[in-house]
Amino acid sequence: MARKAPREDPGEDALEVSAPKDWAAGIPAVTHALRMGYDQMGVRRTALTLLKVNQKDGFDCPGCAWPEGDHRSVAEFCENGAKAVAEEATVRRVTPAFFAAHPVGDLAGRSDYWLGQQGRLTEPMYKPAGSETYVPVTWETAFTVVSRELRALRSPDEAAFYTSGRTSNEAAYLYQLLVRQFGTNNLPDCSNMCHESSGSALTETIGVGKGSVHLDDLYRAGLIFVVGQNPGTNHPRMLSALEKAKRRGARVIAVNPLPEAGLLRFKNPQNARGVAGGGTSLADRFLQIRLGGDQALFQALSRLLLDAEDAAPGTVLDRDFIAAHTHGFEAYAGRLRELDWDDVAEATGLTRDVIEATARDVLAAPSVVVCWAMGLTQHKHSVPTIREVVNFLLLRGNIGRPGAGVCPVRGHSNVQGDRTMGIYEKPAPEFLDALRREFGFDPPRHHGFDAVETIRAMDAGKVKVFFAMGGNFVSASPDTAVTERALRNCRLTVQVSTKLNRSHAVCGREALILPVLGRTERDRGPDGADRFVTVEDSMGVVHASRGGLPPASPHLLSEPDVVCRLARSLFGPGGGAGAVADSDVPWAVFGADYDAVRDSIARVVPGFADFNARVRRPGGFVLPHAPRDERRFPTRTGKANFTVNPLEVPRVPPGRLLLQTLRSHDQYNTTIYGLDDRYRGIRRGRRVVFVHPDDLAERGITDGGLVDLVSEWPDGPERRAEAFRAVAYDTPRGCCAAYFPEANVLVPLDSVADTSNTPTSKSIVVRLEHRGSPSRGPGEAQPR
Ligand SMILES: Nc1nc2c(c(=O)[nH]1)N[C@H]1C(S)=C(S)[C@@H](COP(=O)(O)OP(=O)(O)OC[C@H]3O[C@@H](n4cnc5c(=O)[nH]c(N)nc54)[C@H](O)[C@@H]3O)O[C@H]1N2
Ligand SMILES: Nc1nc2c(c(=O)[nH]1)N[C@H]1C(S)=C(S)[C@@H](COP(=O)(O)OP(=O)(O)OC[C@H]3O[C@@H](n4cnc5c(=O)[nH]c(N)nc54)[C@H](O)[C@@H]3O)O[C@H]1N2
Ligand SMILES: [Mo]
């Protein structure tokens, strides 16, 4: 098998910088992905596995949550999807011998890249208190340790149960059930750090915290905004959808501080034009906005719509829709008339001409879709910003009709489904009522901790057991030093994982690693028959996922099995004292039969009636969405709500920059596939900061110079990320960018979005300091 050993980090001196690309996803993309596949899996396994991605009898791609069209060809191929598959289907293995050779102190000193490159976890591992080394244990012992520690707590609220977004619907449903039967709503999840702002804003304004469009709406849209999103890297299949929409006459407007390759031009490897030609030019207009300027942009666009209506009454606004379906229009319109154009210019960095031209695009479009991702959700004023997107769409009735609507593009492949299944620290009373009817116990009603609150609680010793269903909490969370201290303060940390990561190395006094099957692997029930799980994509389509590969090791359990066996250990008869009562939940049945789990979901979760039958149909089924399907808005007012949101103009103290943390092309969140960011011209390194050339010159820093990034937060210590290469880049003045997770040390735990409590990963005030030079006071110029 032509397979390479894990690569070592080449060290920062290897960094190479070249000109960024202005196009994405062509033939080099495909060869690049196949090469990673060959490295991890060899040639034959690569071919067999990639043929099954997103096919009707195959598995759901563990990459992003972008939906599948109906007419996908076997050859339809997404570079970054292939990388996600290769990462999971790798034939490299982490064995007990590996752990014997690498105590936690050693692992904690390794990079995320090195850790991920070691391969798949193979056996349950246990690090006893007082020891530095994980040793293999049986599953029975592992569950006994968890039960023992959970039972020893004074209150169920002293435990927190994290979820990352790859967990299937079945596993997520069982997991939240276990947690609520245990007695807490401490269910933080990756959404808290991701699209929480979208959920908060949409629930309040349209009554449903999910997107309101289908793929077909994109194809039929007159105008599509792609705001704060880098689909060429993070949702590559979206580029095909945008290309198709364009062929049908849509215009595309990209709003981003960076000229991201995929937004500008797209070479589709699936058609001849993409292979041979210059590709499709995707964005008709590119608004190079300043970080955090989107609220101002959408207020300005809405104001221009109002002005146009004043000039030609009855021609611009959808008066019938506003009257019949919305609430609060007058108050909103009144406030909008006071808009200060100087504030708009300062916040956006855009000229009035450009914004007016964009408004003309809007006026000319019969329907509008707004797509967005992390560029909108990770700011202090993210919730008001997304509310403003809704205001803008409501004005022309651009919701609940074909070709129009809101499209928050989700990240993890089942993050939306996990929420639908009840992974939420603030569950709706109706959901808890349904659980009570189904299982006959009283679920806790008081809200639990979200991700940021969990870190605070662990740090303060209020949460003592941390259990993670997937993910890499240590590296994904803000304020790395604080998060690490918090986790090390726990009595027990438990990671249910497929791959080795930093959360195994930075752990509690006792720690467990529970290795599970991934999407790509065959999941056999006790009767030996193959089982499947289900997922929900970003557009509310629920479908089946069946893995085909033999499991990475004979010791792996499925995630549902882990939950059910833990439940039997925790609640089972003879379980002894503590807060935990014997269980009426049929855990043994659930563990043996996913159909039984789905039947229960069908009774508890709205929209899942006849789940087992409908999900077996090719392509699955679409969940109901009241605003989209019937223009019904289940909000407090019973209408879609216009909201008044005071304009936030992001300002930084003199000499400082606003930093965003983003993804390179070679990573999946904290999983680092490689050290290149091809489209941005970066090779063999990740410690880079992209800065406007004039901002560098002003500070006397040369392109390629070595700097520390120092984050300042009122009343707090300075946070420092050392030794980054400054790269002169096409970004607005005053704004810079570095990669997540290396830059997470800079995000203060208390710097969160209002309402959603999401860390402000896209707006951190920093100063750049020359490496080696003494630190300087505020605003002082650096010598040349
Ligand atoms: N290959 C790959 N695919 C992924 C992931 C991955 O890591 N790798 N992660 C998955 C997950 S969990 C998620 S949530 C998504 C993330 O998908 P994205 O949101 O595309 O991810 P980011 O890299 O954070 O990119 C944020 C984009 O928003 C822009 N931006 C930043 N701040 C602002 C702003 O204030 N205004 C505007 N208008 N733009 C701004 C940045 O320049 C960048 O282009 O991708 C998912 N898919
Ligand atoms: N500074 C900064 N911080 C950020 C962000 C940012 O843009 N900037 N983005 C935020 C966002 S959008 C998100 S979603 C979070 C991501 O936070 P997480 O979801 O916690 O992080 P991931 O890196 O996706 O988790 C990777 C790990 O998941 C495990 N895994 C993979 N597949 C499976 C599976 O099928 N089952 C199980 N049990 N485990 C599996 C593997 O062990 C792997 O190491 O990070 C957030 N943090
Ligand atoms: Mo995400």
Side-chain angles (χ1 to χ4, degrees):
M1 231 183 240
R3 205 177 67 234
K4 296 207 195 98
R7 294 200 184 87
E8 293 294 332
D9 293 354
E12 281 313 309
D13 289 344
L15 181 78
E16 291 168 25
V17 181
S18 57
K21 305 261 183 300
D22 70 349
W23 57 269
I27 284 294
V30 176
T31 51
H32 192 71
L34 286 176
R35 198 173 59 231
M36 289 217 178
Y38 297 160
D39 281 5
Q40 297 272 0
M41 309 189 256
V43 175
R44 185 160 175 276
R45 193 169 160 102
T46 300
L48 286 176
T49 311
L50 292 181
L51 286 176
K52 288 284 186 193
V53 188
N54 286 343
Q55 296 303 308
K56 301 241 191 279
D57 61 341
F59 59 90
D60 183 63
C61 180
C64 70
W66 188 257
E68 274 306 329
D70 283 339
H71 307 289
R72 74 210 131 161
S73 67
V74 180
E76 193 171 45
F77 194 87
C78 158
E79 176 195 357
N80 277 350
K83 288 194 238 169
V85 170
E87 193 73 18
E88 180 179 302
T90 180
V91 294
R92 296 179 196 149
R93 296 290 177 265
V94 175
T95 60
F98 171 90
F99 284 105
H102 299 282
V104 286
D106 174 277
L107 296 176
R110 307 285 179 160
S111 70
D112 291 287
Y113 177 54
W114 187 90
L115 293 169
Q117 289 291 305
Q118 303 311 309
R120 286 288 299 276
L121 297 160
T122 50
E123 290 186 39
M125 302 296 298
Y126 172 54
K127 188 195 82 62
S131 164
E132 281 285 282
T133 307
Y134 280 100
V135 293
V137 284
T138 63
W139 280 100
E140 229 25 73
T141 305
F143 294 130
T144 306
V145 169
V146 184
S147 306
R148 186 234 299 146
E149 285 304 309
L150 288 177
R151 287 201 188 110
L153 298 174
R154 272 175 313 184
S155 147
D157 290 331
E158 290 186 338
F161 298 84
Y162 177 69
T163 315
S164 165
R166 275 193 194 173
T167 297
S168 65
N169 289 332
E170 290 75 7
Y173 180 76
L174 294 170
Y175 185 51
Q176 62 82 32
L177 179 61
L178 174 138
V179 171
R180 296 201 163 103
Q181 189 183 2
F182 176 61
T184 180
N185 283 312
N186 286 346
L187 283 159
D189 70 346
C190 68
S191 261
N192 295 146
M193 302 186 267
C194 181
H195 263 295
E196 197 68 64
S197 304
S198 308
S200 301
L202 293 177
T203 304
E204 180 188 344
T205 54
I206 66 169
V208 179
K210 300 181 184 181
S212 76
V213 301
H214 278 313
L215 268 185
D216 218 44
D217 292 309
L218 270 195
Y219 301 152
R220 295 163 79 161
L223 182 63
I224 302 168
F225 280 86
V226 182
V227 191
Q229 196 196 342
N230 179 22
T233 286
N234 298 315
H235 305 90
R237 287 174 297 119
M238 181 178 175
L239 298 186
S240 315
L242 291 174
E243 188 194 34
K244 183 163 170 184
K246 290 212 67 169
R247 276 205 308 274
R248 298 198 180 174
R251 280 173 72 78
V252 173
I253 296 182
V255 185
N256 202 303
L258 305 180
E260 305 283 28
L263 294 172
L264 304 183
R265 253 178 334 128
F266 171 48
K267 296 189 188 181
N268 189 341
Q270 259 79 50
N271 68 34
R273 206 166 5 136
V275 172
T280 312
S281 150
L282 273 189
D284 297 281
R285 194 180 289 288
F286 168 48
L287 304 183
Q288 190 163 23
I289 197 163
R290 303 192 60 208
L291 288 172
D294 307 87
Q295 187 197 2
L297 172 67
F298 282 97
Q299 284 197 353
L301 290 173
S302 296
R303 167 61 189 272
L304 292 171
L305 295 182
L306 283 187
D307 290 351
E309 172 79 5
D310 290 347
T315 64
V316 173
L317 303 187
D318 187 338
R319 290 282 181 186
D320 293 342
F321 173 80
I322 291 172
H325 296 293
T326 72
H327 175 268
F329 171 73
E330 290 305 334
Y332 163 71
R335 271 304 280 275
L336 212 48
R337 292 187 199 284
E338 295 161 16
L339 185 71
D340 180 337
W341 284 96
D342 290 337
D343 281 350
V344 172
E346 187 184 348
T348 62
L350 302 171
T351 65
R352 177 113 175 219
D353 282 355
V354 165
I355 298 176
E356 284 179 352
T358 307
R360 284 195 294 277
D361 291 340
V362 176
L363 287 169
S367 60
V368 179
V369 172
V370 180
C371 305
W372 72 86
M374 296 305 99
L376 281 203
T377 63
Q378 298 175 332
H379 297 278
K380 181 161 195 310
H381 56 303
S382 282
V383 175
T385 298
I386 297 163
R387 286 189 198 129
E388 218 61 74
V389 169
V390 173
N391 287 336
F392 162 77
L393 289 170
L394 291 178
L395 285 175
R396 282 168 61 83
N398 272 315
I399 196 153
R401 66 182 169 91
V406 286
C407 183
V409 182
R410 303 281 159 177
H412 267 301
S413 48
N414 197 40
V415 63
Q416 187 158 317
D418 291 346
R419 271 292 162 89
T420 308
M421 291 299 123
I423 302 290
Y424 191 25
E425 75 281 359
K426 302 182 191 70
E430 304 80 57
F431 179 79
L432 299 178
D433 293 342
L435 279 185
R436 178 160 175 253
R437 277 196 302 276
E438 174 79 358
F439 296 109
F441 71 90
D442 263 319
R445 298 274 158 173
H446 58 283
H447 290 173
F449 294 138
D450 63 19
V452 164
E453 290 162 346
T454 297
I455 296 167
R456 282 196 197 114
M458 291 189 296
D459 199 25
K462 290 184 194 148
V463 160
K464 301 182 168 76
V465 174
F466 177 81
F467 189 106
M469 182 57 77
N472 180 5
F473 192 74
V474 170
S475 297
S477 295
D479 226 345
T480 313
V482 177
T483 298
E484 291 190 351
R485 191 176 68 204
L487 280 155
R488 289 191 166 120
N489 202 29
C490 287
R491 281 191 200 152
L492 171 69
T493 53
V494 186
Q495 303 287 334
V496 180
S497 310
T498 53
K499 301 282 301 271
L500 188 68
N501 65 45
R502 186 161 305 283
S503 299
H504 305 121
V506 180
C507 54
R509 199 178 58 183
E510 283 180 277
L512 279 163
I513 301 175
L514 308 182
V516 286
L517 296 171
R519 289 275 170 80
T520 53
E521 285 156 318
R522 193 178 298 139
D523 180 355
R524 291 209 158 128
D527 58 357
D530 284 352
R531 307 188 280 192
F532 67 94
V533 291
T534 65
V535 293
E536 174 186 343
D537 67 31
S538 195
M539 294 183 179
V541 181
V542 179
H543 61 92
S545 176
R546 291 180 180 81
L549 292 174
S553 131
H555 304 291
L556 304 186
L557 293 184
S558 73
E559 289 180 352
D561 281 340
V562 168
V563 178
C564 292
R565 289 186 55 178
L566 172 59
R568 291 170 69 190
S569 162
L570 182 62
F571 305 127
V580 182
D582 281 7
S583 168
D584 290 331
V585 180
W587 288 109
V589 176
F590 284 162
D593 181 6
Y594 295 172
D595 277 359
V597 182
R598 283 186 283 267
D599 283 339
S600 177
I601 293 171
R603 289 185 293 268
V604 169
V605 187
F608 283 81
D610 211 10
F611 189 6
N612 268 306
R614 286 196 295 158
V615 83
R616 284 179 161 83
R617 291 180 204 142
F621 63 96
V622 184
L623 288 174
H625 187 289
R628 179 196 64 208
D629 303 336
E630 14 169 351
R631 281 198 157 177
R632 191 167 58 75
F633 298 93
T635 63
R636 238 175 284 163
T637 61
K639 306 257 168 122
N641 291 318
F642 279 102
T643 52
V644 171
N645 306 288
L647 180 59
E648 178 87 20
V649 181
R651 292 195 173 101
V652 302
R656 306 302 188 269
L657 298 172
L658 210 48
L659 171 82
Q660 63 154 320
T661 59
L662 40 51
R663 291 154 174 80
S664 83
H665 192 63
D666 269 1
Q667 74 185 83
Y668 195 94
N669 299 337
T670 70
T671 299
I672 312 300
Y673 302 138
L675 300 175
D676 299 348
D677 191 7
R678 199 169 72 245
Y679 295 151
R680 299 196 186 103
I682 301 297
R683 291 197 61 220
R684 298 165 70 77
R686 292 179 49 85
R687 293 185 85 81
V688 294
V689 55
F690 301 97
V691 190
H692 191 283
D694 294 346
D695 282 327
L696 285 181
E698 200 176 88
R699 289 164 178 74
I701 297 169
T702 50
D703 186 7
L706 207 53
V707 295
D708 285 354
L709 309 180
V710 186
S711 127
E712 300 169 348
W713 181 249
D715 308 323
E718 285 188 347
R719 293 165 173 81
R720 184 176 292 263
E722 294 186 333
F724 278 61
R725 292 274 170 202
V727 174
Y729 205 80
D730 186 4
T731 174
R733 284 294 305 267
C735 302
C736 62
Y739 298 129
F740 145 58
E742 284 80 355
N744 285 36
V745 288
L746 299 169
V747 188
L749 188 63
D750 292 338
S751 180
V752 291
D754 297 333
T755 309
S756 65
N757 220 27
T758 295
T760 60
S761 303
K762 297 289 189 276
S763 47
I764 308 146
V765 176
V766 295
R767 63 172 197 269
L768 305 184
E769 256 183 30
H770 276 296
R771 274 294 273 185
S773 62
S775 72
R776 268 156 232 284
E780 279 178 46
Q782 305 277 3
R784 293 214 168 218

